[in-house]
Amino acid sequence: EAKKILKADERNVGALLNLATVFFRRGQHELATTVLDRARQIDPNQAEVWSNLGFVYLARDKKTEAVEAFKKATELRDDLPEALNNLGALFVETHDYEAAIASLKRALALYPDFASAYLNLGNAYKGNKQYQEAEGAYKKASQLDPAATEVLYNLGVLHLDNLLAGV
């Protein structure tokens, strides 16, 4: 369908986004990047293009590029909770806990039932040595997604670390 549209209008950003999504789901990340780069050239102010680029860069383990893409997406549109969540998770990885907390709180303001954002927020709080806040975020993530074993794991590690530290 997207290919038909692109034959008629090769500058159709929506069709390019759809085609990139197909490539991404097939694991053809380089092709997805090429298509999204074309879409970005056509409309550099399209937040979805930048957000999708962030996901593709993550899949390609290009974290610096992913951070930049998610930042650009959230600058263009402040209502993309998935981009904000991934940006927050990347900030946790780079130990920028304050930026992570800010990004994840923005994601949760948009989508209060976002279990993954609560998990990442817990990780950010833990990294920032805000242990009670971390515990609260992990517990909220567990309430929202009881099957998420990584939440229970992180909560257990938090309790063990606090026990060993005498907190």
Side-chain angles (χ1 to χ4, degrees):
E1 184 71 29
K3 287 183 180 182
K4 286 181 187 177
I5 294 170
L6 288 170
K7 282 185 181 180
D9 178 9
E10 65 186 32
R11 298 180 57 82
N12 186 311
V13 173
L16 289 168
L17 282 168
N18 288 338
L19 186 58
T21 299
V22 169
F23 288 142
F24 181 80
R25 289 182 180 158
R26 290 182 181 167
Q28 297 172 301
H29 299 134
E30 288 184 33
L31 280 174
T33 303
T34 301
V35 171
L36 290 168
D37 282 340
R38 176 72 179 129
R40 184 178 55 185
Q41 291 169 358
I42 295 167
D43 187 358
N45 295 317
Q46 177 74 259
E48 290 82 3
V49 171
W50 289 99
S51 183
N52 287 1
L53 266 171
F55 286 110
V56 173
Y57 286 141
L58 275 180
R60 296 179 67 191
D61 202 31
K62 294 185 170 197
K63 293 179 181 175
T64 302
E65 292 90 340
V67 166
E68 293 308 313
F70 286 132
K71 277 184 182 177
K72 183 67 175 177
T74 59
E75 288 169 9
L76 292 169
R77 272 190 49 197
D78 62 357
D79 63 340
L80 297 170
E82 295 86 1
L84 289 163
N85 180 50
N86 285 312
L87 187 56
L90 288 165
F91 283 141
V92 168
E93 285 187 26
T94 60
H95 308 286
D96 189 351
Y97 301 117
E98 293 297 329
I101 290 166
S103 183
L104 293 161
K105 283 184 172 182
R106 284 177 56 204
L108 289 164
L110 294 168
Y111 183 38
D113 293 337
F114 200 169
S116 178
Y118 277 107
L119 169 63
N120 291 326
L121 183 60
N123 293 338
Y125 280 137
K126 181 177 181 262
N128 211 33
K129 301 186 185 334
Q130 294 173 267
Y131 302 119
Q132 288 182 336
E133 291 86 349
E135 181 179 22
Y138 290 144
K139 285 182 176 179
K140 182 67 176 179
S142 183
Q143 287 172 357
L144 293 169
D145 187 1
T149 56
E150 66 269 22
V151 174
L152 299 175
Y153 171 80
N154 281 291
L155 188 57
V157 168
L158 177 70
H159 287 297
L160 181 62
D161 287 351
N162 285 340
L163 181 68
L164 294 175
V167 177

